[in-house]
Structures are given as C-alpha cells and as structure tokens.
Amino acid sequence: MIEIKEAIIVEGRYDIQTLKQCVNTVILQTGGFRIFKDKERLQMIRKIAQKRGILILTDSDGAGLVIRNFLKGAIPTNQVKHAYIPEILGKESRKRHASKAGTLGVEGMSQDVLKNALISAGATILGDEQKTIKQLVKADLFALGLSGQSGSEQKRKALLKKLNLPQYLSSNALLDFLNAVSNKDEIFEIIKEIENNT
C-alpha cells in the first residue's frame, strides 16, 4: 500500500473499491457523465485540487477520455496530474459483457498496474512521518454533533457555509471533503468557533 498526497478522481464506485486496496488517499468519483451537470461536485473537486492537487484516473476508453478532458478544462493545469492505465483486452468479473471498447477499466487493473500508473503520473508519495495526520471517521461526525443528533442539520449547514460548500452534501461526501482539505484537529477547532458564535 502506498500513501499519496493528491486526491484521486475516478469514474465510479467499483474503481474506488479497487484503488482502496493499494493506495491510501481520498478517492472521489465523478459518477460517470453526471459530473457534467453536477456543479456542486465539480466545485468540491476544485477546492480539493487547490488544497492538495488531484490525480485523474479514468478508464482508457472513449468515455474515460471525455470525462478526463472535461476535468482537465475545469481545473487549473498546475493542480492536476494525469494517470493512465494500459489498454488491456478483457472484462471485469462482475460484468456479463465486456465494455464497448472491449478493454478493462480501472476496476479490472491489478494493484501493481495501478501503483505504477500513479507513480508514473508523478503522485507525491508520503513517508511515514506524514501518516500521523488524523483523519475523520463517521463517529467523529457524530461526536462533533454533525450527524445523528438534535441540531445536527443546522450545525452541518453552518460548517458547510463556513467552508463555502453546497448546503446539501451527504455525510459521506462531507467526510471525504473534510479529509481531503483538512484534518481532525482543524475541524474540531472550526466546530468550536461555530459553537461559540451561536
């Protein structure tokens, strides 16, 4: 397992599951072509790119290229790195039929192929000293009063407003974003500040 600084942008949830087996970082999905209309998700990706940079890792087919080019045009060049997977004929085991292009997507790649793609793209590999960064988990959202409690919705909206984020982010999306741009200690401080101002 390698740990990298940049967040990775992939097309779908199965890509995320595959990547989580070999790399430790924030991994976000475009939801395929939904990214073209989802302004809030694009805004979130831009903020993450500004804070830590992103690596775009899409399938090597035509659809993956269209999504990659859209993101390439939507995010400043100096905040984006591009990782490419090879064109390997085949189909993922969970699918009945091969893709239109007849090639494997990100989810069908081996861990070694994915690691090499990220390293070749210039991913910033973090050393052991960086691993002490405290990331938030769902239990922290509860402890902070951001989910599952009376007044959680108002507190979450106040946090989202302070961070200039869409007001209706799900808990999972909020967690991904917070871990991408901040750490546990900083978020606790922001929550204290919100509580003191209400």
Side-chain angles (χ1 to χ4, degrees):
M1 171 107 35
I2 58 172
E3 184 165 2
I4 67 171
K5 174 187 172 191
E6 294 85 3
I8 301 174
I9 308 296
V10 294
E11 293 177 56
R13 69 176 189 267
Y14 292 105
D15 300 332
I16 293 174
Q17 290 172 3
T18 300
L19 273 169
K20 282 191 173 182
Q21 297 172 28
C22 64
V23 64
N24 184 14
T25 191
V26 173
I27 307 170
L28 304 167
Q29 65 171 312
T30 64
F33 292 137
R34 276 186 288 160
I35 191 64
F36 300 149
K37 294 181 179 178
D38 193 341
K39 290 183 170 74
E40 286 80 15
R41 180 162 292 269
L42 185 59
Q43 179 186 0
M44 190 170 81
I45 290 171
R46 283 181 176 138
K47 286 177 186 257
I48 291 170
Q50 187 177 26
K51 180 79 174 185
R52 65 191 289 165
I54 61 165
L55 267 158
I56 299 174
L57 180 63
T58 57
D59 294 349
S60 56
D61 59 8
L65 184 63
V66 169
I67 292 167
R68 181 186 296 276
N69 285 335
F70 172 77
L71 290 171
K72 184 178 178 182
I75 300 161
T77 309
N78 64 331
Q79 298 170 2
V80 180
K81 295 177 182 176
H82 293 273
Y84 296 91
I85 57 170
E87 287 189 5
I88 300 172
L89 293 176
K91 74 169 190 66
E92 286 81 8
S93 58
R94 72 173 181 86
K95 295 181 179 176
R96 285 189 178 177
H97 305 288
S99 68
K100 188 175 179 183
T103 56
L104 294 173
V106 170
E107 71 171 281
M109 294 292 133
S110 70
Q111 291 185 21
D112 286 339
V113 167
L114 292 171
K115 285 179 189 175
N116 288 335
L118 296 171
I119 291 166
S120 297
T124 308
I125 309 293
L126 300 177
D128 290 338
E129 72 280 356
Q130 302 272 350
K131 291 184 181 175
T132 57
I133 294 173
K134 297 179 199 165
Q135 294 219 314
L136 292 158
V137 295
K138 281 192 173 181
D140 293 320
L141 295 184
F142 181 80
L144 289 166
L146 295 170
S147 69
Q149 296 184 38
S150 172
S152 291
E153 185 178 352
Q154 291 82 4
K155 193 180 272 191
R156 194 166 56 248
K157 283 186 175 182
L159 175 64
L160 290 168
K161 185 173 182 179
K162 186 157 183 67
L163 297 172
N164 293 317
L165 289 173
Q167 292 293 298
Y168 59 87
L169 272 186
S170 70
S171 295
N172 286 340
L174 176 62
L175 197 60
D176 284 341
F177 179 80
L178 294 177
N179 281 325
V181 300
S182 193
N183 63 57
K184 194 171 182 174
D185 295 333
E186 288 178 359
I187 298 304
F188 272 71
E189 286 303 314
I190 292 171
I191 295 297
K192 275 187 201 170
E193 187 180 321
I194 288 170
E195 289 172 346
N196 290 337
N197 291 334
T198 54

